[in-house]
């Protein structure tokens, strides 16, 4: 084939691939085969048309380690087997390491002393925390681990539950919207509890900072509200990146979060001013999720309050997936335990679950079913009177009324 003819044919091939040659249907060009007929219906689901497939996959799958109606007759056998499985799936249980705790700031307030501390939760992390101590404390006092929420606010963590006196404007607004203007840790210390709150991984002083964001600097006190908004959006866009990166590292995000919370209890019991037999935990939203798992995994939590985070999970697959953070997903857990089954691991110790009736993060049927499932578990454990599930006709928030009920619950079980 001569050079000119070859170039001509190559040109024809290029033009055809680019769709630049005219086609002539009358010349017998084949038409694409039609797809088989299929009726299209709206699903009202986060997964669209694939929801039906996932629903079929999830249907009739038993929770293998459930206590209610499950394989365990004895609550202690259930707790050991199920706890071991949860730790296995979390994929993060590092070697114990000395705390090397240091107080980096100490501030005297009217009702309490506030310590800013750093301590090691593993060989990998130095974790910042606030510890609030009642000014009139005599001897060893009861203590609460106050677990901060998510709320799309990554730039602040422990500050969400504390009135520092001089708060960032973003926190003033956050306290108003999420805590009825009264952050829980400050109210708890006013009522006589030692309180600790740490920054969860990816929040506060452990937040993600991209190279493009270095121009904003490190000092959050200098951030404008617009800076906070922009940087929060950046962090939110990187949740998936964090979850994927940790997966490749053989880890899970919730595994790191829960381990740090457990080590926070370790630190509390090491303090000379804390009564190790009177420790509780609470939180709303992601804080409630953390409280659920901390109470489930650590026997030293003698009483717990889970607020604004409880539902059976399969009803959530349809339209409550995209509303939740990657930190709320433990891969493989729902083969073994539903979320109320995790809560039941706290039995027979006292547990209060506060549900927000107008909460859009959970389906009402799932919230009601979760309360029934936990109640059945506590009854089977012989501790029916140590569980309480309450509904409040409010949206996703920790109102002062709810806080008062939670503190009354702790007073009843930690001040005997």
């Amino acid at each position: 084939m001569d050079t000119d003819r070859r170039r001509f044919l190559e040109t024809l091939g290029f033009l055809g691939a680019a769709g630049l040659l005219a086609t002539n249907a009358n010349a017998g060009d084949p038409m694409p085969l039609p797809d088989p007929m299929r009726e299209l219906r709206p699903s009202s689901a986060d997964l669209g048309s694939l929801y039906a497939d996932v629903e079929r996959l999830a249907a009739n799958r038993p929770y293998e380690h459930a206590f209610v109606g499950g394989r365990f007759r004895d609550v202690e056998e259930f707790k050991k087997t199920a706890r071991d499985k949860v730790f296995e799936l979390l994929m993060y249980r590092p070697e114990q390491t000395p705390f090397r705790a240091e107080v980096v700031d100490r501030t005297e307030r009217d009702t309490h002393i506030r310590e800013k501390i750093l301590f090691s939760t593993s060989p990998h992390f130095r974790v910042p925390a606030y510890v609030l101590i009642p000014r009139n404390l005599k001897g060893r006092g009861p203590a609460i681990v106050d677990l901060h929420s998510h709320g799309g606010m990554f730039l602040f963590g422990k500050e969400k539950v504390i009135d520092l006196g001089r708060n960032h404007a973003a926190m003033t607004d956050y306290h108003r919207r999420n805590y009825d203007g009264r952050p829980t840790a400050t109210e708890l210390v006013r009522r006589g509890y030692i309180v600790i709150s740490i920054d969860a991984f990816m929040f506060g002083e452990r937040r993600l900072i991209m190279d493009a964001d270095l121009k904003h600097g490190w000092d959050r006190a200098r951030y404008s509200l617009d800076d906070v908004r922009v940087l929060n959006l950046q962090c939110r866009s990187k949740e998936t990146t964090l979850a994927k990166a940790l997966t490749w590292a053989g880890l899970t995000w919730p595994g790191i979060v829960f381990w740090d919370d457990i080590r926070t209890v370790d630190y509390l019991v090491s303090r000379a001013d804390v009564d190790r037999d009177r420790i509780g935990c609470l939180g709303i939203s992601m804080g409630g999720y953390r409280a659920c798992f901390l109470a489930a995994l650590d026997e030293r939590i003698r009483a717990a309050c889970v607020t604004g985070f409880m539902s059976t999970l399969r009803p959530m697959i349809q339209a409550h997936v995209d509303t939740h953070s990657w930190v709320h997903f433990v891969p493989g857990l729902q083969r073994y335990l539903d979320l109320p089954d995790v809560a039941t691991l706290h039995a027979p110790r006292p547990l209060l679950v506060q549900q927000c009736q107008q909460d859009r993060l959970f389906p009402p049927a799932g919230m009601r079913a979760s309360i029934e499932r936990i109640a059945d578990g506590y009854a089977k454990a012989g501790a029916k009177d140590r569980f309480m599930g309450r509904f409040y006709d409010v949206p996703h928030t920790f109102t002062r009324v709810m806080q008062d009920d939670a503190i009354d619950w702790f007073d009843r079980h930690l001040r005997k």
Side-chain angles (χ1 to χ4, degrees), residues 62-105:
Y63 294 106
E64 296 179 14
H65 288 359
F67 186 45
V68 177
R71 62 192 246 201
F72 305 106
R73 293 186 179 181
D74 178 76
V75 68
E76 295 304 320
E77 182 189 4
F78 156 65
K79 287 162 70 171
K80 182 182 186 312
T81 302
R83 255 187 211 144
D84 286 347
K85 178 56 67 175
V86 174
F87 275 118
E88 175 189 334
L89 295 171
L90 290 172
M91 301 177 71
Y92 185 72
R93 204 170 184 177
E95 63 185 84
Q96 295 280 359
T97 188
F99 296 120
R100 294 188 296 113
E102 58 179 312
V103 178
V104 297
D105 183 67

Side-chain angles (χ1 to χ4, degrees), residues 140-396:
R140 294 177 180 265
I144 302 291
V145 183
D146 196 335
L147 301 149
H148 72 71
S149 56
H150 187 300
M153 176 61 74
F154 294 88
L155 269 67
F156 298 90
K158 58 194 177 300
E159 297 87 358
K160 293 174 180 176
V161 298
I162 298 172
D163 178 5
L164 297 175
R166 296 176 60 187
N167 302 300
H168 193 285
M171 281 297 91
T172 300
D173 181 62
Y174 196 92
H175 294 160
R176 178 186 59 79
R177 290 185 292 105
N178 293 276
Y179 294 92
D180 204 3
R182 191 178 74 179
T184 45
T186 304
E187 183 62 17
L188 281 161
V189 73
R190 191 182 73 81
R191 306 268 192 111
Y193 290 91
I194 298 168
V195 190
I196 188 169
S197 183
I198 71 169
D199 281 336
F201 189 46
M202 185 72 164
F203 294 87
E205 296 176 63
R206 305 172 76 188
R207 66 194 183 277
L208 172 147
I209 301 176
M210 299 299 293
D211 290 352
D213 303 324
L214 295 176
K215 62 181 180 291
H216 294 282
W218 170 252
D219 185 2
R220 291 169 296 169
R222 295 179 177 274
Y223 290 176
S224 69
L225 286 173
D226 191 57
D227 292 336
V228 171
R229 180 187 62 80
V230 169
L231 294 172
N232 269 328
L233 289 174
Q234 178 71 280
C235 288
R236 176 172 290 194
S237 73
K238 288 297 181 178
E239 277 201 358
T240 301
T241 309
L242 176 63
K244 290 190 291 186
L246 288 172
T247 298
W248 278 356
L251 302 163
T252 68
W253 186 9
I256 295 172
V257 171
F258 299 155
W259 183 256
D260 287 347
D261 292 340
I262 291 169
R263 290 289 282 158
T264 301
V265 180
D266 288 341
Y267 169 73
L268 270 184
V269 300
S270 76
R271 289 181 62 104
D273 52 4
V274 170
D275 184 342
R276 64 181 304 150
D277 293 323
R278 294 189 291 160
I279 297 176
C281 68
L282 91 163
I284 180 175
S285 197
M286 174 185 150
Y289 169 72
R290 293 166 66 194
C292 176
F293 276 85
L294 179 57
L297 298 175
D298 197 322
E299 286 283 314
R300 296 168 299 179
I301 296 296
R302 300 307 173 96
C305 174
V306 174
T307 301
F309 206 105
M310 183 54 62
S311 175
T312 53
L313 294 179
R314 283 182 186 158
M316 295 179 63
I317 295 174
Q318 181 175 14
H320 292 83
V321 177
D322 288 340
T323 56
H324 285 274
S325 164
W326 273 99
V327 77
H328 298 148
F329 294 84
V330 179
L333 179 62
Q334 272 62 60
R335 174 178 173 179
Y336 302 95
L337 299 166
D338 202 353
L339 186 59
D341 299 326
V342 174
T344 305
L345 282 169
H346 188 56
R349 301 185 188 278
L351 173 65
L352 170 64
V353 173
Q354 297 179 318
Q355 300 276 42
C356 302
Q357 191 86 39
Q358 302 175 37
D359 200 328
R360 296 184 179 181
L361 297 182
F362 306 93
M367 289 195 290
R368 290 191 296 270
S370 68
I371 296 298
E372 295 170 3
R373 191 172 179 90
I374 298 170
D376 289 345
Y378 265 71
K380 184 176 178 180
K384 182 178 181 180
D385 61 338
R386 294 188 180 182
F387 170 68
M388 179 181 293
R390 297 194 60 178
F391 281 82
Y392 300 79
D393 191 19
V394 296
H396 190 72

